[in-house]
Amino acid sequence: MGVRTYEQDAKTLELPWPFTGREDELELVRGAMAAGRRGIVVTGPAGRGKTRLITEAIRGTDHVRVTGTPEARHLPLAAFAHLPAVTGSLPGAVRALSGVRLLVVDDAHLLDEDSAALVHQLAANGCTRLIVAACDEASAPGAVSRLWTGELLPRLALAPLPEEDTAALLGAAGFEALTVRRLHRLCRGDLRLLRSLVAALVAGEGLVAVPGTGERAWRGPLPVTPAVRDRLAPVLERAAPGEREILERLAFAEPARPPLYDLDLDVLEGLEAAGLIAVDDAGGVALADPLHGPALRAVTGRLRARRLSRAGADRGAALAAEQRLLEGRLAQLDVRPVATPVGDWAVAEGEPVPAGYAAVRARFARLGGAVRDAAAWAREGLRWAPGDAGCAAELSLAQAESDESGQGFAEGGVYARYGAVRAGEPARALPPGSVLARHAEALARRDGDALDRAATALAERGFLLFAAEAHAQAVRVHRDPRAGRRSRTRALALARRCQGARTPALAGLVLGELTARQRQIVALAAAGLSNKEIAERLTLSVRTVGNHLYSAYTRLGTGDRGALPCLLDRSA
């Protein structure tokens, strides 16, 4: 098996890579720089986006920046060597920096002991505000870890970027929904790895055009980038020959989970203790990190891969079983996510997907609010079975959920009758006692509290879009303004998870989700002003205007500047 290694540095990636999401975290960091505050420590694994968050937060402010490096970790005050005033003793260095209003310390876990002690003293004295980034998975100097364990500074533990924000980030590169989901699953919040893979896919031949969309899909093997090798290296370095054999067997067995009795139990115990494998309740074994399987397959030689591979294995029965599982859940009015490893693996690897399976996946995703996933699954079925009626119908329904046309309600069965409720009208003959019937009854009574309760029940069953619509309807009937605001916040939070779905029930809510500055800029853009003209009028940089508009587009579920006047009209 030939292996192509991609050496392009992610920093050279010539794609839009704007700051996306993290609004709450951004406000926390900015608030920590306010008068009377001492600063903040931002922690998280490497690649989580700590530096990018801090860079955005301090944009336009006067500050001094220092960075820890592994090469200089044993040199006294090495991180501060570029500052002429910081020389000699630690007390002298503290005095020299006492006039600095804001000190940014990046990669603080790599500071030498003297630099770490200096940062700790500055935090203790309280004269200099500190914004510190550190990896919490590394062995940091004691003086650094005591910044938060000793409660000198508040700590912000940076969570992985949510999938909806990853989708917004990758939207600039034109990736279709299933590719976005695959990248998000493989990277697990490591933005450095994400950039590396995106750069390799764009530079290489891993992307295919999705007809009629302007989007690109990734099907096939994992590019072996330096970041992939970095993630895989610790696994291969610690694995003894017997352990590596099992790891490779598990990699080539995917998506199946071999039973325990097929493998050496002593070796498995060691791998489980190291967190490299996971054992399910049925006794099946799999690699714990979703990246390790495709990475191991990509770096394995052709002859060894042929020996390990389950070439020619018929996955049809497994796909049929997944399809029956999904159909059963649909019949039970339950679209909560379930494990579908065989279908996910097949579409990622570029293997044929039966049209019947693809149509059910599309329907399951659409009813759960994942309208872009639904459209992508329908297109995947049509890719292998052009003209299939089921996939064509699902594609039409998924597209309708994204343009407020209301045509998404034109389907058969219980959901056709429920469509009237979604449109704000009475409905009959819904399954008694079901979550759909509870929504209909609350709407008929114009009971805001009951609508909110129905929305909660819908969300618990996985109907995120329906739940958002029920909360939105509650906004319009609540007499208590506080209750209305609460319903609106919940509606918007759920709608954000629905991949840009735009339905009549949600109309009028979207602009209220923007910040005051974003609404101001959107209004000017809708009036026809260019980014440069907006920047001049508001005394902002063109880059800042562009960033605000990009964030607004993400929240509004559109990238079309021409759609802004229509959005403003609907929310008036």
Side-chain angles (χ1 to χ4, degrees), residues 37-52:
R37 304 288 181 88
R38 290 188 172 186
I40 196 169
V41 181
V42 182
T43 65
R48 185 60 60 83
K50 303 180 296 296
T51 300
R52 184 71 177 87

Side-chain angles (χ1 to χ4, degrees), residues 64-78:
V64 172
R65 191 174 200 132
V66 299
T67 303
T69 60
E71 298 80 8
R73 197 168 184 177
H74 303 293
L75 300 176
L77 293 177

Side-chain angles (χ1 to χ4, degrees), residues 513-530:
E513 191 186 17
L514 304 183
T515 66
R517 178 65 86 182
Q518 286 169 350
R519 287 197 298 272
Q520 186 181 30
I521 291 174
V522 164
L524 293 173
L529 275 68
S530 68

Side-chain angles (χ1 to χ4, degrees), residues 138-163:
S139 177
V144 170
S145 60
R146 287 195 297 273
L147 290 174
W148 64 86
T149 59
E151 299 184 354
L152 282 174
L153 296 175
R155 177 189 183 189
L156 169 59
L158 205 58
L161 195 68
E163 186 170 349

Side-chain angles (χ1 to χ4, degrees), residues 18-334:
F19 182 81
T20 301
R22 305 267 195 226
E23 289 89 356
D24 293 340
E25 294 92 336
L26 188 62
E27 290 306 311
L28 281 173
V29 177
R30 285 174 172 165
M33 298 187 293
R37 304 288 181 88
R38 290 188 172 186
I40 196 169
V41 181
V42 182
T43 65
R48 185 60 60 83
K50 303 180 296 296
T51 300
R52 184 71 177 87
L53 171 67
I54 290 173
T55 299
E56 190 68 22
I58 65 174
R59 188 183 301 279
T61 65
D62 293 329
H63 64 276
V64 172
R65 191 174 200 132
V66 299
T67 303
T69 60
E71 298 80 8
R73 197 168 184 177
H74 303 293
L75 300 176
L77 293 177
F80 292 86
H82 64 291
L83 303 177
V86 180
T87 57
S89 66
L90 182 60
V94 173
R95 287 194 297 273
L97 291 170
S98 61
V100 173
R101 296 182 59 187
L102 177 63
L103 176 66
V104 177
V105 185
D106 203 2
D107 287 338
H109 56 283
L110 297 177
L111 291 176
D112 60 273
E113 293 293 341
D114 286 359
S115 293
L118 174 54
V119 171
H120 189 275
Q121 284 295 314
L122 291 170
N125 290 348
C127 297
T128 301
R129 283 191 289 278
L130 292 162
I131 306 296
V132 181
C135 282
D136 51 10
E137 61 186 13
S139 177
V144 170
S145 60
R146 287 195 297 273
L147 290 174
W148 64 86
T149 59
E151 299 184 354
L152 282 174
L153 296 175
R155 177 189 183 189
L156 169 59
L158 205 58
L161 195 68
E163 186 170 349
E164 57 264 29
D165 289 332
T166 302
L169 192 62
L170 293 175
F175 289 143
E176 54 95 49
L178 300 185
T179 297
V180 169
R181 190 174 291 279
R182 182 183 180 188
L183 285 166
H184 181 78
R185 183 175 66 251
L186 290 176
C187 295
R188 304 174 81 181
D190 187 337
L191 297 179
R192 187 178 304 166
L193 175 62
L194 181 65
R195 288 189 65 129
S196 171
L197 289 177
V198 169
L201 291 171
V202 171
E205 301 174 354
L207 297 176
V208 295
V210 180
T213 67
E215 296 178 334
R216 294 174 290 178
W218 171 30
R219 303 289 186 266
L222 182 78
V224 185
T225 68
V228 169
R229 290 190 179 277
D230 288 346
R231 280 277 293 270
L232 193 58
V235 178
L236 300 182
E237 288 170 0
R238 78 162 300 279
E243 291 180 326
R244 178 157 183 171
E245 173 77 16
I246 285 183
L247 292 174
E248 289 177 336
R249 286 181 63 184
L250 293 175
F252 280 89
E254 290 182 343
R257 300 170 74 92
L260 284 169
Y261 56 76
D262 279 353
L263 304 166
D264 187 313
L265 291 180
D266 291 335
V267 176
L268 287 175
E269 288 178 0
L271 292 173
E272 185 180 30
L276 295 179
I277 64 170
V279 181
D280 63 24
D281 293 338
V285 188
L287 297 169
D289 189 326
L291 181 73
H292 288 167
L296 284 168
R297 293 195 297 272
V299 300
T300 300
R302 184 186 297 272
L303 292 177
R304 186 170 178 79
R306 185 174 296 173
R307 178 172 69 83
L308 292 168
S309 176
R310 303 175 64 192
D314 181 11
R315 296 186 178 84
L319 282 171
E322 286 187 357
Q323 181 174 337
R324 288 193 298 272
L325 170 64
L326 296 174
E327 288 171 336
R329 296 288 291 272
L330 287 169
Q332 297 165 9
L333 301 182
D334 187 347

